[in-house]
Amino acid sequence: MLKKRLKQLVIYTILIGIALIVLYPIAWTIGSSFNQGSSLQSTGINPIPDQFSLNQYRKLFTETDYLHWYKNTLKIAVINMIFSVAITSLSAYVFSRYGFKGKKISMISMLVLQIIPSFTGMVAMYIIIWKMGLLDTHLGLIIIYVAGQIPYNTWLVKGYLDTIPRELDAAAKVDGAGNFTTFFKIILPIARPIIVFLAIATFTAPWMDYIFPQLVLKSQKNWTLAIGLFEMIDGEADNAFSQFAAGCTLVAIPFTIFFMLSQKFMTEALGAGAVKS
């Protein structure tokens, strides 16, 4: 009995420690966003500020282009999600269900491409986007995101589609369904868990990326949130850390809503996927 309680005590201690490690930076960021001062000196270890103030949020919307950067990032994230899900799911279905000349070489090529870090091809991407006349445009950045995610996501979705019995395809074709009908009405509903995961991953990527927006987007009106927020704390004269924290706190809102909505859907989809076979 004593051994069992000691075991439970150790487990709870570890879980509480992990929770504190995860939650403390979030609490500190939210608390700092309500701080009256702007610099790091005005914040302490305690995440709860001495005086609550909405001054940083007011300055965020009145003295910066935060709302414009927010709209830019949201637009890029939504378009990237739609095109990535459409292209990747179709390409994964083709590689999963059909045999064609060059299939093996194509799969190996995509495997090699996903191993290579994306930033190693930054110069090549920059030149391609420049030659296409898409430098300093959102379209250029979206093309980089969509094209760059195809290899890894195709492998990911193909692996899931391979687990769906091919007898379902055969039964649908016996009933007169074509390739697109079979994909959209038979395969896609069963593959909802991986499609939802793919949608979440491709939606969140542009919000967290700083390197590629910094490479492609030059004018301030086209900046995303990552560039705009970093400019607040970059350099010796830019020390608006509390304002930076307020911007980061607002960035978490669409993520929270998206994850809350998709969590319920993913639970239902995963439950359906668990009994598909």
Side-chain angles (χ1 to χ4, degrees):
M1 190 66 180
L2 180 61
K3 185 178 180 181
K4 183 179 179 181
R5 289 186 176 179
L6 284 174
K7 186 178 180 181
Q8 289 179 341
L9 180 63
V10 171
I11 292 174
Y12 281 118
T13 303
I14 293 174
L15 291 177
I16 292 172
I18 293 173
L20 289 175
I21 292 172
V22 172
L23 294 177
Y24 177 77
I26 300 173
W28 190 89
T29 303
I30 296 174
S32 298
S33 69
F34 292 101
N35 208 320
Q36 180 69 29
S38 298
S39 66
L40 279 178
Q41 293 180 345
S42 63
T43 61
I45 298 177
N46 187 356
I48 302 175
D50 296 331
Q51 292 181 339
F52 277 89
S53 172
L54 295 175
N55 187 43
Q56 303 305 329
Y57 289 94
R58 182 190 60 77
K59 291 167 63 177
L60 198 64
F61 288 104
T62 57
E63 299 179 6
T64 70
D65 293 327
Y66 181 82
L67 196 58
H68 191 69
W69 302 333
Y70 206 100
K71 290 178 181 176
N72 289 343
T73 310
L74 182 62
K75 181 181 75 174
I76 293 170
V78 171
I79 295 175
N80 176 50
M81 177 184 68
I82 293 172
F83 278 94
S84 293
V85 169
I87 294 173
T88 302
S89 57
L90 283 170
S91 62
Y93 179 67
V94 170
F95 279 108
S96 174
R97 288 299 194 267
Y98 300 100
F100 53 88
K101 189 176 181 180
K103 175 181 176 180
K104 187 175 181 180
I105 295 176
S106 300
M107 293 299 296
I108 293 174
S109 300
M110 287 194 291
L111 183 64
V112 172
L113 284 174
Q114 72 179 4
I115 295 173
I116 300 173
S118 57
F119 57 83
T120 57
M122 287 179 64
V123 176
M125 292 180 188
Y126 182 86
I127 293 175
I128 292 172
I129 294 298
W130 173 42
K131 293 295 183 182
M132 293 172 67
L134 297 176
L135 207 59
D136 198 23
T137 64
H138 292 159
L139 179 59
L141 186 61
I142 291 170
I143 289 175
I144 290 177
Y145 282 144
V146 174
Q149 292 167 347
I150 287 177
Y152 174 78
N153 289 336
T154 298
W155 267 96
L156 184 71
V157 178
K158 177 188 175 298
Y160 190 91
L161 296 183
D162 286 343
T163 65
I164 299 176
R166 295 174 181 271
E167 288 78 4
L168 294 175
D169 301 52
K173 290 179 180 177
V174 169
D175 291 338
N179 293 330
F180 281 100
T181 304
T182 302
F183 173 70
F184 284 109
K185 292 190 175 181
I186 305 297
I187 302 301
L188 208 55
I190 300 175
R192 277 186 301 178
I194 194 66
I195 298 299
V196 171
F197 174 81
L198 181 63
I200 294 174
T202 52
F203 178 79
T204 55
W207 297 83
M208 303 176 183
D209 183 35
Y210 171 79
I211 297 177
F212 285 112
Q214 179 69 13
L215 179 73
V216 176
L217 306 176
K218 301 301 179 186
S219 57
Q220 189 168 346
K221 64 182 177 64
N222 289 330
W223 281 1
T224 60
L225 274 174
I227 304 176
L229 288 175
F230 186 74
E231 289 297 321
M232 294 181 184
I233 57 173
D234 185 31
E236 296 180 358
D238 303 317
N239 59 353
F241 286 94
S242 297
Q243 202 170 324
F244 174 83
C248 293
T249 302
L250 293 178
V251 170
I253 291 177
F255 286 158
T256 305
I257 296 174
F258 199 64
F259 275 103
M260 287 177 66
L261 294 175
S262 62
Q263 184 182 25
K264 181 182 178 181
F265 179 80
M266 284 187 70
T267 303
E268 295 175 354
L270 286 170
V275 298
K276 66 180 184 299
S277 62

